PDB file of all heavy atoms in Angstrom:
ATOM      1  N   PRO A  92       8.484  -0.961  17.582  1.00 95.00           N
ATOM      2  CA  PRO A  92       8.527  -2.146  16.700  1.00 95.00           C
ATOM      3  C   PRO A  92       9.794  -2.972  16.874  1.00 95.00           C
ATOM      4  O   PRO A  92       9.744  -4.205  16.824  1.00 95.00           O
ATOM      5  CB  PRO A  92       8.437  -1.534  15.296  1.00 95.00           C
ATOM      6  CG  PRO A  92       7.742  -0.231  15.493  1.00 95.00           C
ATOM      7  CD  PRO A  92       8.240   0.273  16.806  1.00 95.00           C
ATOM      8  N   ALA A  95       9.512  -4.869  20.018  1.00 94.00           N
ATOM      9  CA  ALA A  95       8.589  -5.996  19.868  1.00 94.00           C
ATOM     10  C   ALA A  95       9.300  -7.225  19.313  1.00 94.00           C
ATOM     11  O   ALA A  95       8.984  -8.361  19.686  1.00 94.00           O
ATOM     12  CB  ALA A  95       7.421  -5.603  18.971  1.00 94.00           C
ATOM     13  N   VAL A  96      10.267  -7.024  18.414  1.00 95.00           N
ATOM     14  CA  VAL A  96      11.038  -8.149  17.884  1.00 95.00           C
ATOM     15  C   VAL A  96      11.859  -8.788  18.997  1.00 95.00           C
ATOM     16  O   VAL A  96      11.918 -10.018  19.130  1.00 95.00           O
ATOM     17  CB  VAL A  96      11.958  -7.676  16.738  1.00 95.00           C
ATOM     18  CG1 VAL A  96      12.879  -8.813  16.292  1.00 95.00           C
ATOM     19  CG2 VAL A  96      11.128  -7.179  15.564  1.00 95.00           C
ATOM     20  N   ALA A  99       9.580 -10.755  21.224  1.00 94.00           N
ATOM     21  CA  ALA A  99       9.116 -11.981  20.569  1.00 94.00           C
ATOM     22  C   ALA A  99      10.176 -13.076  20.640  1.00 94.00           C
ATOM     23  O   ALA A  99       9.851 -14.260  20.797  1.00 94.00           O
ATOM     24  CB  ALA A  99       8.745 -11.695  19.116  1.00 94.00           C
ATOM     25  N   SER A 109       4.426 -15.396  19.393  1.00 90.00           N
ATOM     26  CA  SER A 109       4.163 -13.966  19.239  1.00 90.00           C
ATOM     27  C   SER A 109       3.309 -13.740  17.999  1.00 90.00           C
ATOM     28  O   SER A 109       3.614 -14.291  16.934  1.00 90.00           O
ATOM     29  CB  SER A 109       5.474 -13.194  19.113  1.00 90.00           C
ATOM     30  OG  SER A 109       5.234 -11.842  18.804  1.00 90.00           O
ATOM     31  N   PRO A 110       2.261 -12.919  18.107  1.00 90.00           N
ATOM     32  CA  PRO A 110       1.397 -12.702  16.944  1.00 90.00           C
ATOM     33  C   PRO A 110       2.135 -12.128  15.743  1.00 90.00           C
ATOM     34  O   PRO A 110       1.761 -12.418  14.604  1.00 90.00           O
ATOM     35  CB  PRO A 110       0.349 -11.707  17.473  1.00 90.00           C
ATOM     36  CG  PRO A 110       0.338 -11.897  18.950  1.00 90.00           C
ATOM     37  CD  PRO A 110       1.751 -12.256  19.316  1.00 90.00           C
ATOM     38  N   ILE A 111       3.174 -11.327  15.969  1.00 90.00           N
ATOM     39  CA  ILE A 111       3.831 -10.693  14.822  1.00 90.00           C
ATOM     40  C   ILE A 111       4.606 -11.696  13.969  1.00 90.00           C
ATOM     41  O   ILE A 111       4.950 -11.400  12.825  1.00 90.00           O
ATOM     42  CB  ILE A 111       4.767  -9.549  15.255  1.00 90.00           C
ATOM     43  CG1 ILE A 111       5.905 -10.063  16.144  1.00 90.00           C
ATOM     44  CG2 ILE A 111       4.010  -8.440  15.930  1.00 90.00           C
ATOM     45  CD1 ILE A 111       6.916  -8.999  16.508  1.00 90.00           C
ATOM     46  N   PHE A 112       4.886 -12.871  14.523  1.00 88.00           N
ATOM     47  CA  PHE A 112       5.610 -13.881  13.762  1.00 88.00           C
ATOM     48  C   PHE A 112       4.759 -15.110  13.451  1.00 88.00           C
ATOM     49  O   PHE A 112       5.293 -16.131  13.005  1.00 88.00           O
ATOM     50  CB  PHE A 112       6.879 -14.302  14.507  1.00 88.00           C
ATOM     51  CG  PHE A 112       7.934 -13.232  14.507  1.00 88.00           C
ATOM     52  CD1 PHE A 112       8.481 -12.779  15.701  1.00 88.00           C
ATOM     53  CD2 PHE A 112       8.376 -12.673  13.327  1.00 88.00           C
ATOM     54  CE1 PHE A 112       9.452 -11.790  15.715  1.00 88.00           C
ATOM     55  CE2 PHE A 112       9.344 -11.683  13.328  1.00 88.00           C
ATOM     56  CZ  PHE A 112       9.884 -11.245  14.519  1.00 88.00           C
ATOM     57  N   GLU A 113       3.470 -15.025  13.679  1.00 87.00           N
ATOM     58  CA  GLU A 113       2.584 -16.119  13.285  1.00 87.00           C
ATOM     59  C   GLU A 113       2.458 -16.137  11.765  1.00 87.00           C
ATOM     60  O   GLU A 113       2.183 -15.102  11.153  1.00 87.00           O
ATOM     61  CB  GLU A 113       1.199 -15.948  13.917  1.00 87.00           C
ATOM     62  CG  GLU A 113       1.158 -16.227  15.414  1.00 87.00           C
ATOM     63  CD  GLU A 113       1.377 -17.694  15.733  1.00 87.00           C
ATOM     64  OE1 GLU A 113       1.109 -18.537  14.848  1.00 87.00           O
ATOM     65  OE2 GLU A 113       1.834 -17.990  16.851  1.00 87.00           O
TER      66      GLU A 113
END
Side-chain angles (χ1 to χ4, degrees):
V96 174
S109 173
I111 62 175
F112 289 125
E113 287 291 336

